Amino acid sequence: MTPAPQTPQTLDLRQAIAIGNPKAIDLWLDVVEDPRLRSEQLGELDPGELLRLGDLMPVGVAAEVTDTLALHVAVDLVRTVAAARGGELLAALESDRAAEILRELDADERERLLTAMPAEHAVVLRDLLTWPPESAAAHMVPDVLTVGRSVTAAEAIAQVRDHRAKLRQDAHIGAYVFAVDPEGRLEGVVSFRDLVLADADTAVADLLEPDVVSIGPLTDQEEAARTVVAHRLLAVPVVDDDGRLLGILTSDDASDIAEVEATEDAERQGGSQPLEVPYLRASPLLLWRKRIVWLLVLFLAAAYTGTVMQAFEDELEAVVVLAFFIPLLIGTGGNTGTQITTTLIRAMSTDNVRLRDVGRVLRKEMATGLLVALAMALAGIVRAWTLGVGGPVMLTVAVALVAIVLWSSLISSVIPLLLKKLRADPAVVSGPMISTIVDGTGLIIYFTTAKLLLPELAGL
Amino acid sequence: MTPAPQTPQTLDLRQAIAIGNPKAIDLWLDVVEDPRLRSEQLGELDPGELLRLGDLMPVGVAAEVTDTLALHVAVDLVRTVAAARGGELLAALESDRAAEILRELDADERERLLTAMPAEHAVVLRDLLTWPPESAAAHMVPDVLTVGRSVTAAEAIAQVRDHRAKLRQDAHIGAYVFAVDPEGRLEGVVSFRDLVLADADTAVADLLEPDVVSIGPLTDQEEAARTVVAHRLLAVPVVDDDGRLLGILTSDDASDIAEVEATEDAERQGGSQPLEVPYLRASPLLLWRKRIVWLLVLFLAAAYTGTVMQAFEDELEAVVVLAFFIPLLIGTGGNTGTQITTTLIRAMSTDNVRLRDVGRVLRKEMATGLLVALAMALAGIVRAWTLGVGGPVMLTVAVALVAIVLWSSLISSVIPLLLKKLRADPAVVSGPMISTIVDGTGLIIYFTTAKLLLPELAGL
C-alpha cells in the first residue's frame, strides 16, 4: 500500500496509524465520517495496530468513535488496548454501550477492565450486567434526568444543567425529563423542550404528562423495542414493580435490538440456528455447527420419503413415468408452504397477526390455496401433455397437485399458529422444514391418487 | 357483545362510539393506551362507526391518535370522515405522516382532501407528494427549526419559541436546530439542549457542529434509514444539490422504513412478491396474485426435472431403488442452499457483506460446504444401509450427496453476489428458487454418479 498524502480523501486508517501522529488519526476521522466505513477499516486492523490506535486517540475521541462502531469491532478495540486505557474508554461511553461490550468479553477480561475504571462507573456497570441479556434492563441507560414535581421550570432547568456533566452527548437521553418522588417512583414525564419553552415560574407539576408508557426491567428486549417504535418515543422509562425509575431504553438501542432480532428470524427461517456473530466473523466451523443440526434433523425427517417410495415400489415399477413428476410435485408443495409460512411468521413478529386471528388466517389461506391449486393443476396438465404421458397419468398429476397444494396450505398455516399457541417462537418453522414435511406427505398423496386413477395399478 | 360499564378496563371502541358521547371516546383513549390495540379496534369498525368516531373526537385528539395508528387504519379513517373533517385532521398531522396517508388514496380522494384544508398546508403536502415514494424526501418533515449563525443562543431560543406554534408535539423534530445562510443553505447543526444550556450571549456560530451528516432528497429510503440508525441520530437533514435544507428525516420514520423493508425482504425470501398491505387486509385474490407468479415461474423452471428424469428413464428402470433417494438428495441440496442464501442476503441488506467481500464469502462457504458434505455423506450411508440397497448404491448416494452439497453451496453463494454486482436486489433469490435450481441439477449429478459407479448401468 503506497501512502498518498497528496490525496487525503483516500487516507485509510492503517496509513494513519503508520504515520504515528495523533493528527493523522484526527485527519482520518475527518475524512472517513461514515460509522460503517470506520467499523470496516477498524475491523481489518491487526492487534498491534489496534493497540497503537488506542494510544493515538484521546479518550474522548475514542469514546465517540466507539459509540457508533459495530459491536464486535468495539469489543476488539477495548479488549486489545491496555487495561487502564480500556477502562477509561468504557467509563467514557454510555453505560448501556459499555455493558453491551463487557457482555461479549470473558469473565477475566471483564474483571480486568472493571477494576481498571473509576469505582463509581464500575458499580453502575456491574449492576447492569446482573440483568439477563435478553431483558430490557440489560440495554437501559441508568443515567436519567430527574426532578421533583414541586419545582418550577427554571429550577428544573438548573438541575438539568448540574446533571449535565454526568451525561454523555446523547440527545436521546436529554429529550425527556422525568419527575420522581423522594423514593424515586416515577410520577410523570415532561419533554425537555416544553420545560425550556414554558414560563420560568411554571410548576413542573403543571407541565407533566402523568400517563407515562413504561416497561418492566425483565420485559423481553424485542417487546420493549416494539413498544418504543409503536409509540414513536425517543426513550421509554424502565420501572420496577414498586414504580421506581431504574433507567430508560432509548430509541437507538431499540433500533439495534429490532435489527438483531430480524436477523435472527431471517436465519431461522432459512433453516439454520442464529449465528449470533456478524457473518464475516463466523468461521466455517461455526457456520457448520449452526447449520448441521437442522440439516441432520431434516435429513432424518426426509428419510421417510425413502420408506414411502419403497412402499410404492411396485407401482413405480409398473408405471415408471410416475417418477418424472416427483420433484415437480413435491417442489410445488414446498414452495406453496414456504410462501405461506414466511409471510405469516413475519406478520406475527410485527404484531400484525395474533393468536385470535387463527380463523381469519385459515379461511384466507384455504381460499387462496384453492385458487393456487387450480392454477397449478392447469400448469401440471400442460406439462404432462408435453411429456406425452397419456390421459390417466395427466389426470393423476392434476388431481395430486390440487391435493398437495391444499394440504401444504393447511399445515403451513396451522403450524406457526400452533407454535405461537404453545408459546414457542414460530420463526423456527423454516422453509426447509415445511418443504421436508410436504415432501413425504406429498408422495403419499401422489401415489395414492395414482392407485385410485390408474387402471394398471388397480391390482397392486 | 354486552356493554360492561362497571368494568371500564374492558371498554372497547365500538361500545364507546355507541354511547355517542365524546367523553366515552376520551375514556376509551385513557383505557386503551397501546397504539397497536387502538389500531386493532379501529381496524374492525365499519364505515358508519368510523364516520361517527370522526365527529366525536376533537381534531387535536384525532390527530394525536392518527399519528400512531397503523397506516392502513389511518387511511381508512381519513377516507371515511367528511372531507372538511379529513382536511382538518390531515392539516393537524405532521406533514410527512399526512403525505404518507395521501399517497395511499386515489387521485380524486386526495384532491378532495387537499382542497378542504388550509391552503398553506396543502402547498406543503403537494410539494412532498411530488417526490418519488421510495425517496428519502417523500418521508421528510419540511418543518425544521432554523436560525442564522450570527445570532446568540438567547436569540435562537426566542426564534424557536416563535416557531413553536408551527411545530407539532414531536421531540424528534425539536431535538436539533439547524443554522442556515440567507439562501437556506445548511451551515451546521446544534442540539437544542446545548443551545439551552449554553450562556445566553454565546454566538450560535460557536456552538455549531459544521460537519453535518446529511442525505440528498432522492437518496433511496432504505439507505437513508440506515444512515439515521448507523449514526444513532434523531434526525438527518435532507439537503439538495445546492446545499439548501429541504427538511429532515426523523428516526421514527427511519424505524418504520426499516420495518417495511425487512417485511418486503422476508416475503421475497419466501418466494412471493411483497404484499404491500398488512397480511390480514390482503384478500385471497391479492395473495394469489402475489404468489402465483413465482409459483408458475418455479414450476416452469422445475419442469426440466421431468426432462432430466425422462433422459435417465432407462437407468431408473434398471435400478428402481435409485428413485428412493431422489427426494432426500434434492431436499438436502435445497436446504443447504436456502441456509446460505438467507444468511448471506440478510448480511448484505444490513451492510455486513459488501461486493468486495466476494472472495472471503466464497472461501468461507466452500470450506463450510465441505464440512457439511462429509457429514451428510455419512448420514446418507447410514440411511442407504437401513434401506438395504447394497454397497454400490450406498456409495452412489454418498458421492452424490458430497457433490450436490458442494454444488449447492457454490451457486447459493455466487447468485446473490452476482445480483448485487448487477445492481439487482439480491433478496429476490428466495429459498424456493434455490431449491428449484438445485433440484434439476442435483438429479443430473445423481444419475451421472450412478452411471459411473453402478456396474449394471455401464452399458446404458
Side-chain angles (χ1 to χ4, degrees), chain A residues 379-432:
Chain A
I381 288 172
V382 172
R383 179 56 184 150
W385 180 72
T386 57
L387 278 173
V389 293
V393 171
M394 197 188 287
L395 185 66
T396 302
V397 168
V399 172
L401 266 171
V402 170
I404 288 173
V405 168
L406 286 177
W407 164 244
S408 177
S409 302
L410 182 67
I411 55 169
S412 314
S413 328
V414 167
I415 294 179
L417 290 163
L418 198 68
L419 284 173
K420 180 106 173 170
K421 173 89 184 167
L422 300 171
R423 294 173 176 279
D425 185 351
V428 301
V429 187
S430 58

Side-chain angles (χ1 to χ4, degrees), chain B residues 94 107 176 257 320 349 380 393 415:
Chain B
E94 279 175 56
Y176 303 121
I257 292 169
V320 93
S349 82
V393 171
I415 294 179

Side-chain angles (χ1 to χ4, degrees), chain B residues 320-364:
Chain B
V320 93
V321 296
L322 282 177
F324 297 176
F325 298 93
I326 289 175
L328 193 58
L329 290 179
I330 64 182
T332 298
N335 293 348
T336 312
T338 304
Q339 288 185 331
I340 295 172
T341 49
T342 43
T343 305
L344 196 53
I345 288 167
R346 178 70 191 161
M348 284 160 85
S349 82
T350 52
D351 280 343
N352 281 307
V353 166
R354 286 146 194 251
L355 212 47
R356 27 163 270 188
D357 299 317
V358 54
R360 289 171 72 183
V361 170
L362 285 181
R363 277 193 302 277
K364 196 189 288 289

Side-chain angles (χ1 to χ4, degrees), chain A residues 4 9 23 38 43 48 75 85 100 133 155 158 205 209 230 280 324 357 360 383 386 392 395 416 429 437:
Chain A
Q9 62 274 34
K23 284 185 185 155
R38 289 181 180 179
V75 169
R85 191 75 184 166
E100 201 184 14
E155 288 164 342
E209 165 59 49
L280 286 182
F324 297 177
D357 299 318
R360 290 171 70 184
R383 179 56 184 150
T386 57
L395 185 66
V429 187
I437 296 174

